[in-house]
Amino acid sequence: NAGVMQNPRHLVRRRGQEARLRCSPMKGHSHVYWYRQLPEEGLKFMVYLQKENIIDESGMPKERFSAEFPKEGPSILRIQQVVRGDSAAYFCASSGRTAYQETQYFGPGTRLLVL
Amino acid sequence: AQKVTQAQTEISVVEKEDVTLDCVYETRDTTYYLFWYKQPPSGELVFLIRRNSFDEQNEISGRYSWNFQKSTSSFNFTITASQVVDSAVYFCALSEGPQGAQKLVFGQGTRLTINP
């Protein structure tokens, strides 16, 4: 029973490049959440998506960041023109069909390093 | 606004000691859920427990136990007879009520080190 999958696990980008982080939810889950963990800090909510819909993006930076969860395929968190301050661990979580206060299960995270 | 406070930034104990990790939360919702997650040195986040606001029963799972007290807005986590493998960062989290957006609000985490 595969858990939440994220790839790549580590990503190195130079300033100004684009970063694409992928997340495949747990089987049977249709709700995806992205969180960011800055060094030595807790996790901060970024965005909550269902298939083809963004439900809550209140934690997303206003510029350069976008997320999608297409009908087919993984959820993508995209960061354009990365800056050093984007270096962090990005975690994806998924929950079940109802989503109502269901437990969010996390993937292993993608560690993004911006040089 | 919702908030979770884990006042203990780091705790270090010797193996076999009992240790309690504190978590205090703030919310205006009457319906909410509380969680604990473990982040071992390998970096992944492991779900430990979920508790809803209407269930104040304490829970025990092996060496782990949780004490939920609405009167003090606390959801503390105790590890009995700690082991080196318990070394990790532990996060307490809170989610919003039934009309909320399901996002989790995390505390800053407590780094627990169990020394042999």
Side-chain angles (χ1 to χ4, degrees):
Chain A
N1 199 11
V4 179
M5 312 263 292
Q6 288 188 251
N7 65 81
R9 295 290 301 275
H10 298 274
L11 183 62
V12 179
R13 285 288 179 265
R14 296 191 179 280
R15 282 178 296 171
Q17 292 184 320
E18 179 179 285
R20 281 187 181 233
L21 287 62
R22 287 176 289 278
C23 169
S24 296
M26 198 177 280
K27 186 176 181 180
H29 285 186
S30 56
H31 302 261
V32 166
Y33 314 78
W34 287 92
Y35 293 82
R36 178 166 65 174
Q37 184 178 30
L38 293 168
E40 302 302 320
E41 290 191 15
L43 289 89
K44 302 283 192 228
F45 168 80
M46 299 181 76
V47 62
Y48 163 38
L49 310 103
Q50 295 177 26
K51 286 284 187 182
E52 300 184 281
N53 284 305
I54 296 175
I55 308 302
D56 181 355
E57 55 182 345
S58 59
M60 287 279 269
K62 292 290 184 282
E63 299 175 349
R64 302 187 297 107
F65 284 73
S66 62
E68 63 177 5
F69 188 16
K71 187 176 180 180
E72 301 291 337
S75 174
I76 305 287
L77 179 67
R78 182 183 179 206
I79 311 172
Q80 295 178 289
Q81 300 175 341
V82 296
V83 301
R84 288 213 174 113
D86 297 332
S87 295
Y90 292 83
F91 288 92
C92 166
S94 72
S95 66
R97 278 187 303 160
T98 62
Y100 170 54
Q101 301 302 356
E102 291 219 5
T103 298
Q104 294 179 26
Y105 292 93
F106 283 80
T110 293
R111 272 80 183 163
L112 172 65
L113 175 63
V114 179
L115 301 176
Chain B
Q2 295 193 324
K3 186 178 178 183
V4 176
T5 302
Q6 295 180 254
Q8 304 151 308
T9 306
E10 295 191 27
I11 299 175
S12 181
V13 301
V14 177
E15 199 172 18
K16 297 183 184 176
E17 286 186 19
D18 298 347
V19 58
T20 296
L21 283 61
D22 297 332
C23 173
V24 174
Y25 61 91
E26 297 175 28
T27 180
R28 292 180 182 175
D29 291 334
T30 55
T31 302
Y32 53 89
Y33 284 71
L34 294 161
F35 302 80
W36 277 93
Y37 287 87
K38 173 183 179 180
Q39 187 174 40
S42 50
E44 72 273 24
L45 279 161
V46 179
F47 165 73
L48 295 178
I49 190 171
R50 165 175 170 255
R51 172 69 72 212
N52 75 57
S53 53
F54 298 109
D55 182 1
E56 285 195 71
Q57 277 192 333
N58 291 334
E59 176 145 348
I60 299 174
S61 175
R63 296 183 297 107
Y64 294 173
S65 62
W66 290 268
N67 181 271
F68 176 30
Q69 292 195 344
K70 287 179 76 170
S71 61
T72 55
S73 297
S74 65
F75 186 43
N76 296 337
F77 172 33
T78 297
I79 302 175
T80 304
S82 60
Q83 300 177 2
V84 172
V85 293
D86 296 326
S87 296
V89 180
Y90 291 86
F91 291 99
C92 181
L94 168 71
S95 70
E96 294 185 87
Q99 303 307 320
Q102 317 301 321
K103 59 188 176 187
L104 295 176
V105 175
F106 283 85
Q108 288 294 95
T110 297
R111 182 178 299 278
L112 176 63
T113 303
I114 310 298
N115 299 298

